[in-house]
Amino acid sequence: MSIRDIDELDLKLLLLSGSKLKVNNLEIKPYTFTEIKEYGYTNYMKNLQWVSLSVDDFIESVVDMENRIFLESERANLKTFDFYSKLGGQGMLNNLLVALKMIFRTNDIRVIDEGVIAINFEKLGILALDDDGELSINAENLEAIDEDKLLLIHRDNFDEVIEVVKLQNYLKKPQSNKGNKVEEHADEATRLLFEQMQRNEERVQQSKKRQEDDDDSNNDIDIFDIISSVSTKSNSLNKLNIWELTLYQLYDEYARLELIDNYDFSIKAMMAGAEKIDIKHWSSKI
């Protein structure tokens, strides 16, 4: 089942519980803060930024106007994986592989064909070094292994993999599936319009996220301050057990504590005689 087919409420519960999510047969387990700390928070976030680029980000980065116009004309046929795997050059592909090694918690990640990245193929005996020191595919082992164990990333599932990563790291919020699908029988013009609307909505959300990040930056709040604040304010979390939270769980806790503080402040202000107080209950949706 695609995560896009999971009900919004069910998806929120999976994220809040720190559960693994799957894209086809690819299993993605969220990192805890202990694991992020050991990996290095700065490198962790750098990898997330690398894989979070959109097609529009790539197109806007093209300096040559002729190439940019051509890419914009082909926008409907492009996916982000095209830039990582082909159009962005070897450096872009190398950075992608580093990020995927982190996401899937293995160094056994190899490009086996143009546009196809394999996971754990050496471990399964499918890839091995030949006499010339080059990796080659063992066709016999490949045929003997169950198809469900063949973990592949390509342009048709890459976007969904990155969507899972964004959700697990609070870079994107779960949204209702209602109105997010175009009917299968819709004509090509309707489908293209729908896709353009989705891209516009995503850019708006990204803009809001950047604004929130800028606000946090202006207030000099970083991940250290958030961990310190939550572990001090929370009734159940402290500086010993907070490290077992995922990023999603931490930010959810932080946002909820902020709602509680705002609610308490509003009640006190109202009792002190303040008027026109917009009271939002602490259990409201974040």
Side-chain angles (χ1 to χ4, degrees):
M1 174 188 292
S2 167
I3 62 162
R4 296 164 186 170
D5 296 326
I6 301 176
D7 185 80
E8 179 187 1
L9 179 58
D10 292 329
L11 182 55
K12 284 182 177 180
L13 292 175
L14 289 171
L15 293 169
L16 193 60
S17 66
S19 300
K20 302 173 184 176
L21 292 176
K22 297 187 72 173
V23 176
N24 300 326
N25 61 339
L26 299 173
E27 190 173 75
I28 305 171
K29 179 183 177 182
Y31 273 67
T32 65
F33 265 98
T34 293
E35 294 168 327
I36 294 174
K37 174 170 59 69
E38 291 173 353
Y39 187 87
Y41 177 78
T42 301
N43 288 331
Y44 181 85
M45 295 307 297
K46 186 184 298 183
N47 287 336
L48 292 186
Q49 290 171 355
W50 265 115
V51 297
S52 297
L53 297 173
S54 67
V55 171
D56 292 319
D57 291 329
F58 283 114
I59 293 177
E60 290 172 5
S61 69
V62 176
V63 177
D64 186 89
M65 187 56 64
E66 185 176 347
N67 288 337
R68 182 186 291 192
I69 292 174
F70 171 75
L71 291 172
E72 288 176 346
S73 69
E74 292 293 317
R75 175 63 181 80
N77 301 318
L78 293 173
K79 291 189 175 184
T80 53
F81 191 75
D82 298 327
F83 290 90
Y84 285 113
S85 62
K86 295 182 293 185
L87 303 177
Q90 188 61 43
M92 184 67 70
L93 177 59
N94 290 341
N95 288 328
L96 172 64
L97 294 177
V98 170
L100 291 177
K101 288 177 182 179
M102 180 193 79
I103 292 169
F104 290 99
R105 303 161 179 265
T106 177
N107 288 322
D108 189 356
I109 290 187
R110 297 285 186 273
V111 178
I112 60 172
D113 195 5
E114 185 175 299
V116 180
I117 297 174
I119 303 174
N120 291 335
F121 268 37
E122 288 186 65
K123 180 180 178 181
L124 294 172
I126 299 174
L127 285 179
L129 291 174
D130 58 22
D131 295 335
D132 297 324
E134 298 291 333
L135 285 173
S136 61
I137 295 179
N138 186 314
E140 183 177 346
N141 287 349
L142 178 60
E143 293 179 3
I145 293 176
D146 188 2
E147 186 174 343
D148 289 338
K149 294 182 179 180
L150 300 178
L151 306 180
L152 300 171
I153 299 174
H154 43 77
R155 77 188 304 269
D156 292 330
N157 66 3
F158 179 76
D159 287 345
E160 191 169 353
V161 167
I162 301 308
E163 185 174 355
V164 167
V165 173
K166 287 181 178 180
L167 287 167
Q168 290 177 333
N169 291 279
Y170 218 79
L171 297 175
K172 179 178 181 179
K173 291 186 178 181
Q175 296 178 343
S176 173
N177 293 326
K178 296 179 180 178
N180 286 343
K181 293 183 180 180
V182 65
E183 298 293 337
E184 292 182 1
H185 59 268
D187 58 34
E188 182 67 10
T190 301
R191 185 184 66 80
L192 291 175
L193 177 61
F194 177 80
E195 291 178 353
Q196 181 62 49
M197 291 171 61
Q198 284 189 312
R199 288 196 295 270
N200 291 341
E201 174 64 21
E202 185 173 343
R203 297 189 76 176
V204 169
Q205 295 302 323
Q206 288 175 347
S207 178
K208 289 182 179 178
K209 177 65 178 174
R210 282 194 293 268
Q211 182 61 50
E212 291 173 357
D213 291 342
D214 289 342
D215 291 342
D216 287 344
S217 178
N218 292 334
N219 293 328
D220 292 324
I221 296 175
D222 58 22
I223 193 64
F224 171 86
D225 298 305
I226 293 176
I227 292 175
S228 178
S229 299
V230 171
S231 61
T232 300
K233 183 73 172 177
S234 174
N235 291 323
S236 58
L237 295 169
N238 55 55
K239 290 178 175 60
L240 297 178
N241 62 14
I242 197 171
W243 305 101
E244 297 312 308
L245 293 185
T246 66
L247 260 171
Y248 184 92
Q249 291 169 331
L250 176 73
Y251 279 114
D252 179 83
E253 183 82 10
Y254 182 71
R256 186 64 64 187
L257 289 173
E258 186 177 28
L259 274 180
I260 293 173
D261 279 349
N262 290 340
Y263 176 77
D264 290 342
F265 178 82
S266 298
I267 292 296
K268 291 177 182 178
M270 185 177 66
M271 293 178 66
E275 298 180 358
K276 297 182 179 179
I277 299 295
D278 183 18
I279 299 178
K280 184 177 182 180
H281 197 268
W282 57 267
S283 63
S284 303
K285 283 189 176 183
I286 296 175

